[in-house]
Every structure is written in C-alpha cells, then in structure tokens.
Amino acid sequence: MKQRILSGIQPSGALHLGNYIGAIRQWKDLQDSSDAFFCIVDYHAITVPQDPQDLYDNIHQLAAMYVAIGLDPNKVTLFKQSDVSAHTELAWILNCFSHMGELERMTQYKDKKAKHKQRSTVGLFTYPVLMAADILLYQPHLVPVGEDQKQHVELTRNIAERFNQRYGETFRIPDVLHPKQGARIMSLDDPTKKMSKSATTERGYISLIDPPDVVMKKVKRAVTDSGDEVKAVADKPALTNLLTIYTAVTAKSIGEIEQLYVGQGYGRFKKELAEAIIEFLRPIQEKYNELIDHPAELQKILEAGKEKASTVAQITLDDVKTKLGVI
Ligand code: TYM
C-alpha cells in the first residue's frame, strides 16, 4: 500500500514562494510515491471576511496553480473542501472532543484574533478543529506543511488520540512533514517575520505570478545583513533566507551557491538570485495562464476530486458516527 498524504492551502490570493518552498515542493516530490489528497480549504478562508467574487476567483486560481506547479490530477486528488460535506460534519463532532484551553493556546489564532479584534469569529477559534477534520477523514500517514502549521498538526494528533482512547482505533495518527530546508521562509523586508501576504507589505513576498520586473525589484530591495559575505550562518538571517530560496529554485546546494559568490559582494548575488527565480517561475506562469483560460477543465478536475475525496472521507465519517451511536 502506498502511503497516504494530505495537505491544503487557503484560497486567499496568489501563492508566494514560502507556500511553494514550505509545502507544495514536497507535495510534488511525493506525488509519485504516495496516494495524495490536496485540498483547497475554502471554508477556512471564510474565518475572516471575504468578498464573494474574490473568493470564487481565488478558488479557481488556486486550482490552476496546483496544476501549473506540477501536481498531476491523474495521480493526485485535487479537491475543494466545501465540496465534501464530511469535513464540516466531522469538524462538529471533533469540536466536542476539543478543549477550550488547547484552542486558546494556538498561536495562529492569537495572531489573527489580535488583527481582527472585535470582528474575531467563533470560526476563527475553531479553525484548527476543521483542519483536524480535513486531515483525519483521509487517514493520512503524513501531512506535508510549513513550520507554521506544526502546532495545528500536533493538536490534530491529540484530538485523534483522545477519540481513539475512548472509542477504539478510529483515526490514524499522522506525522507532520517539513522540508529539510525552507520550512519557514522569511519576509524579504524583515527576516525576523515569516513570508506572508497578510503580515508584510508587497515587498516582503514574491508571488508565484509576479512578473519578471517585479521579481527583480523585490529581490534587489531585499534586506541584507551587515558585511558582504554570501553565507548561510546564524548571524546572517537575511542571507540565509535568500540562500534557502536560491537553492529551492535551482538544482544547486547552498554550499555550491556560497562558493559562486566568494568575494563578490551582494550585488551580483541578488541579481542572479532574481534571474533564477524568474526562470523558475516562467514555465509555471505559462501553464497557469493557459489553465486560467480554461475554467471548464479546472471544473472537471475539481469534480473528479470531489467524487474521489467524498468516497474516502465518508468511510471514516460512517465509522465515527457508528462509534458515537448516531448511525
Ligand atoms: P496556508 O494557506 O496559510 O499555507 C499553505 C502552506 O504554505 C505553508 N507556508 C509556508 N511555508 C514556509 N514558509 C512560509 N513563509 C510559509 N507560509 C505558508 C504553510 O505552512 C502551509 O503548509 N491551516 C492551513 C491550511 C490547511 C491545512 C489543512 C493544511 C487547512 N486544512 C489540512 C494541511 C492539512 C493554512 O492556513 O495554510
């Protein structure tokens, strides 16, 4: 039996290099050797206010990006969370096995709550429980995500263990999988913060659909450390981050890249890093633009994903409901 993997991304605008390096790069690498499910988590997106047309567009753009990046819909199951009602059903059940205290400790919740102040919703609070449902329904061995999702996967394991203890083996306890390098890509304008669309200005992230001139400008403006040595060391967080990005978009190791720029200063390094990113993005953007013009094809992929995901999810949900005594 192939190992099962599951992961997801919120449709909240174009993906950035952090999403690619922290998560999707691993998905691509695993797609041949595993039975993979990749979700567009649209119900997670509505935990903060969304414009309906933007959300609709973002869902389809994310589907196009999944394929453009190299996920093969013939090998993996690509689907939309809201298409499989088992997610919200199991989320409700798992709410009844989650403790207020453990959800209050979630750092992402604390950050988002601070940002949305009085408009912070119950959905934002129980967000990690819906994520636990997303995962546990598919009985995955591994959940490939960036480092910022580690706490959520740990919570998922705790909820699953609690349920299993009470009702007997029901859920597989999944392991989190982070990339060896790049589990936390930092912002280009502040290497103490993670690369994110919401936390920083546009200068802080490179979107996978940024045109070449924008990529060049953002990389040239990226913050660097004092000195002029291109080295990935603890006291050079900005350079370490740029080198991590460089290695992710090329076939070169960090050591090889460091060697290329000995005694060269930052100027040439940044220019060539930008060129490497542009080259890396070129085929992705071409494919993306082609797909976005064929919404019927994307719809077909999501329909097929819905069928497959629903069948698998329903088996777990039926088992849970039987154990609870509601079937
Ligand atoms: P989301 O949509 O914020 O991010 C998608 C993926 O990208 C990773 N990521 C990063 N990795 C490295 N460096 C960064 N700067 C960076 N920024 C984002 C995230 O870790 C994630 O893997 N709650 C999840 C979505 C979700 C999910 C799930 C994931 C819902 N249900 C079930 C896995 C399994 C989220 O908000 O990811």
Side-chain angles (χ1 to χ4, degrees), residues 6-12 15-24 27 39 41 44 81 108 112 127 130-132 134-135 143-150 152-153 182-187 194-196:
L6 176 127
S7 199
I9 295 186
Q10 295 192 62
S12 46
L15 297 182
H16 53 71
L17 275 179
N19 298 130
Y20 171 75
I21 299 170
I24 309 173
W27 304 4
C39 189
V41 292
H44 275 112
Q81 184 187 39
Q108 193 160 305
K112 288 200 178 176
Y127 174 117
L130 178 58
M131 177 161 162
D134 298 340
I135 296 170
V143 182
V145 284
E147 199 183 80
D148 61 347
Q149 296 303 314
K150 185 173 176 212
H152 288 160
V153 179
R184 189 175 179 82
I185 295 295
M186 309 310 281
S187 165
K194 74 168 181 181
M195 182 177 282
S196 147

Side-chain angles (χ1 to χ4, degrees), residues 8-218:
I9 295 186
Q10 295 192 62
S12 46
L15 297 182
H16 53 71
L17 275 179
N19 298 130
Y20 171 75
I21 299 170
I24 309 173
R25 188 171 47 142
Q26 312 188 80
W27 304 4
K28 228 171 85 172
D29 294 346
L30 287 165
Q31 69 177 333
D32 289 318
S33 59
S34 12
D35 176 20
F37 288 77
F38 300 123
C39 189
I40 295 172
V41 292
D42 49 353
Y43 276 164
H44 275 112
I46 63 163
T47 54
V48 298
Q50 296 284 345
D51 173 78
Q53 188 62 48
D54 286 350
L55 182 58
Y56 182 88
D57 292 344
N58 284 335
I59 289 168
H60 291 86
Q61 285 163 9
L62 183 54
M65 197 41 100
Y66 275 180
V67 179
I69 276 177
L71 300 177
D72 180 349
N74 295 312
K75 290 184 190 154
V76 305
T77 306
L78 301 180
F79 70 106
K80 191 158 68 110
Q81 184 187 39
S82 64
D83 272 344
V84 183
S85 57
H87 289 240
T88 42
E89 272 193 74
L90 183 63
W92 174 256
I93 295 168
L94 298 182
N95 271 331
C96 304
F97 290 84
S98 308
H99 299 154
M100 297 292 288
E102 58 190 355
L103 294 187
E104 277 160 1
R105 278 197 296 278
M106 294 292 112
T107 53
Q108 193 160 305
Y109 165 66
K110 288 195 266 189
D111 291 349
K112 288 200 178 176
K113 184 179 153 204
K115 213 150 136 217
H116 294 276
K117 298 205 173 79
Q118 311 89 320
R119 298 182 78 188
S120 160
T121 64
V122 177
L124 198 59
F125 183 63
T126 62
Y127 174 117
V129 183
L130 178 58
M131 177 161 162
D134 298 340
I135 296 170
L136 297 175
L137 278 173
Y138 298 89
Q139 310 280 0
H141 299 84
L142 292 175
V143 182
V145 284
E147 199 183 80
D148 61 347
Q149 296 303 314
K150 185 173 176 212
Q151 198 186 28
H152 288 160
V153 179
E154 272 164 12
L155 175 76
T156 301
R157 289 166 57 93
N158 291 340
I159 296 172
E161 274 163 4
R162 195 171 297 146
F163 192 96
N164 285 354
Q165 242 163 35
R166 184 136 164 223
Y167 292 97
E169 275 317 296
T170 308
F171 299 119
R172 175 175 284 132
I173 309 300
D175 285 315
V176 72
L177 181 72
H178 298 313
K180 284 195 195 80
Q181 283 168 338
R184 189 175 179 82
I185 295 295
M186 309 310 281
S187 165
L188 297 182
D189 59 0
D190 181 356
T192 65
K193 296 205 177 94
K194 74 168 181 181
M195 182 177 282
S196 147
K197 267 167 302 174
S198 48
T200 52
T201 62
E202 280 200 6
R203 283 177 49 188
Y205 65 87
I206 291 178
S207 151
L208 301 187
I209 54 171
D210 274 347
D213 58 321
V214 174
V215 173
M216 185 58 80
K217 214 185 292 166
K218 286 182 178 174

